[in-house]
Amino acid sequence: MNLPSLTLSSRCHPFAALASLCLLAVLAAPVQAQALYPNKPVKLLNSFPPGGPSDILARSIAEVLQTTLKQPFVVDNKPGASGNIGTDLVAKSPADGYTVLIGIDTTFTVNPHIYKTMPFKVSDFKPLMVMASSGLLVGMQPATGIKTMNELVAAGKTRLLNFSSAGSGSPGHLAVEVFTDATKVKLNHIPYKGNTPAVTAILAAEVDGGVLATPGMLPYVKAGKINALAVTSRQRSKLAPELPTVAEAGLKELEQEVLYIAMLPAATPDAVVQTLQRAFAEALARPDVQARMANLDLHYEGLTGSAASKRLADLSERYSRTIRATGMKVE
C-alpha cells in the first residue's frame, strides 16, 4: 500500500497529520485575509494640509470607497516638509493596503533633489495611481503693466522680478526655477507659508507675481486685481478656458503640471493594489467626484502600473536637471 507523502515525523506520531493540516491552514490565512481585503478601516494619509486640492480629492474618494468596499476610509492629514513627514509615516507602515498615501508628485520628483537627507527612499513605494493633474496660473500684479507672457519674458530680461510661492520646494517654487532656467529671465523666489499668503502678497504688491494654483488666483483675476497671463498645463483650464497655455504662448518649455497621486509601500500585495485601483477608478469616474475635480481645475489621469512609474520617473529626471542648473534649494 502506498503511504501518503508525509515527513518521517508525521508517520511516527499519530497527531502529525493533523498538525500538518493546521500548519497549512495557518500558512493559508494571509492569503485568505488578502482575498477578503479590506476587512477593517483603511487610512488615506494626506501629506498636505486640510482644505487643499489633495485633501478635497482624498475626502471625495473616501466617501465613495467606504460604500463600494464596505469599510470605513478615513482621511488623516500629516503635512510638513513639502510632504516628507506624511510620506515617511506611510513608508514605515505595514505593506498591507491599510495605509494609502495621498499627495502630489513633487514629494518624489523634487524633494529627493533639494533635501540634503530624506527620511525615505523613492523605492520604498509603488504607485497606486496618478489620479489627476493640474496646471498653475501665471499671475502678475497690475502695477507691473505686464499682461502677456512675451511681456513677462521681456521685462524679466531687463529687471529683477519677485515671485511668490506657497513655500520652498512647492510647485510654485519649482515653476520659478523652470522659468528661470528655460528663459534666462531674472526672477527672485520669495516663499510664503501656503498658497493663500502667496496670492495675498501679489495683491499687496509685496511681489510682482507668482505661478500659483489656479482656483486661488481666479477670483482676483476676475476682479481685475491680478493679471492672468497663461496656464502651465498641457490643456486649457476648465475654470478659465479663455486663458492660453504656455505652449500656445510660444513657451512650451514652461509646461508644468502638479500630479495628484496615491502611493503604497512597495511590498503591498498585487491583489490588494488591484482592488484599490479598481475602486479608485470607479470613484474618480463618478459625476459628483468629477464635478469636484472640475472646481479644483483637476484633469483626470488614471495612470497605473508602469505608466504611472514612468510619468513620475520622467518628471524626476527633468526636475533634477532644472534643480542642478538653477541651484534650487530648501530655504
Side-chain angles (χ1 to χ4, degrees):
M1 179 176 66
N2 293 328
L3 292 174
S5 179
L6 301 174
T7 63
L8 178 63
S9 60
S10 67
R11 295 175 189 146
C12 298
H13 197 291
F15 299 107
L18 179 60
S20 296
L21 291 174
C22 291
L23 178 59
L24 289 173
V26 170
L27 293 174
V31 176
Q32 294 170 351
Q34 179 178 318
L36 294 173
Y37 174 88
N39 55 28
K40 63 180 181 179
V42 178
K43 180 189 295 183
L44 301 184
L45 193 151
N46 178 26
S47 56
F48 288 87
S54 62
D55 181 61
I56 295 171
L57 186 58
R59 294 181 190 279
S60 298
I61 292 170
E63 289 177 8
V64 180
L65 265 54
Q66 62 189 10
T67 299
T68 58
L69 295 180
K70 312 299 183 185
Q71 289 292 338
F73 277 73
V74 182
V75 177
D76 186 14
N77 297 87
K78 297 292 183 183
S82 301
N84 281 356
I85 290 176
T87 302
D88 185 45
L89 291 173
V90 178
K92 292 177 171 57
S93 298
D96 55 9
Y98 288 96
T99 305
V100 180
L101 175 68
I102 305 293
I104 61 176
D105 71 277
T106 53
T107 304
F108 296 90
T109 61
V110 174
N111 290 6
H113 307 299
I114 62 174
Y115 281 84
K116 290 182 179 179
T117 59
M118 289 284 286
F120 60 88
K121 300 188 295 293
V122 173
S123 60
D124 291 337
F125 290 87
K126 61 182 173 185
L128 169 59
M129 181 178 288
V130 174
M131 300 178 287
S133 64
S134 177
L136 302 170
L137 188 150
V138 184
M140 300 299 298
Q141 225 293 323
T144 63
I146 297 171
K147 296 181 179 180
T148 68
M149 292 300 295
N150 286 337
E151 290 175 358
L152 173 56
V153 172
K157 289 184 176 180
T158 61
R159 68 180 192 270
L160 182 66
L161 296 170
N162 292 320
F163 267 50
S164 63
S165 84
S168 295
S170 68
H173 180 191
L174 178 63
V176 169
E177 304 301 340
V178 168
F179 205 117
T180 299
D181 183 44
T183 65
K184 310 308 176 188
V185 299
K186 299 176 182 179
L187 298 183
N188 180 41
H189 169 244
I190 300 180
Y192 286 79
K193 294 182 178 179
N195 198 77
T196 298
V199 174
T200 301
I202 300 174
L203 297 172
E206 293 176 7
V207 296
D208 298 300
V211 189
L212 302 166
T214 303
M217 298 263 264
L218 275 183
Y220 305 105
V221 171
K222 293 177 180 178
K225 296 180 179 179
I226 291 178
N227 291 344
L229 278 56
V231 292
T232 65
S233 49
R234 291 169 296 171
Q235 49 197 317
R236 290 196 176 201
S237 167
K238 295 179 179 179
L239 299 179
E242 71 279 4
L243 292 178
T245 65
V246 287
E248 290 172 334
L251 295 163
K252 185 174 175 59
E253 65 272 27
L254 303 186
E255 276 187 357
Q256 180 190 340
E257 293 176 318
V258 181
L259 301 184
Y260 291 83
I261 59 176
M263 306 286 281
L264 289 166
T268 304
D270 288 343
V272 172
V273 176
Q274 291 164 9
T275 296
L276 283 170
Q277 284 173 343
R278 287 193 296 270
F280 268 62
E282 290 172 7
L284 291 167
R286 284 175 55 117
D288 56 336
V289 176
Q290 288 278 320
R292 290 180 195 174
M293 289 172 62
N295 287 335
L296 296 169
D297 203 34
L298 300 183
H299 299 273
Y300 175 71
E301 295 280 347
L303 300 179
T304 60
S306 59
S309 296
K310 185 177 187 305
R311 184 78 178 275
L312 293 173
D314 288 349
L315 283 179
S316 180
E317 182 179 352
R318 177 195 176 195
Y319 295 155
S320 174
R321 292 194 300 268
T322 297
I323 290 163
R324 289 196 304 269
T326 63
M328 176 181 173
K329 61 183 178 180
V330 177
E331 299 172 27

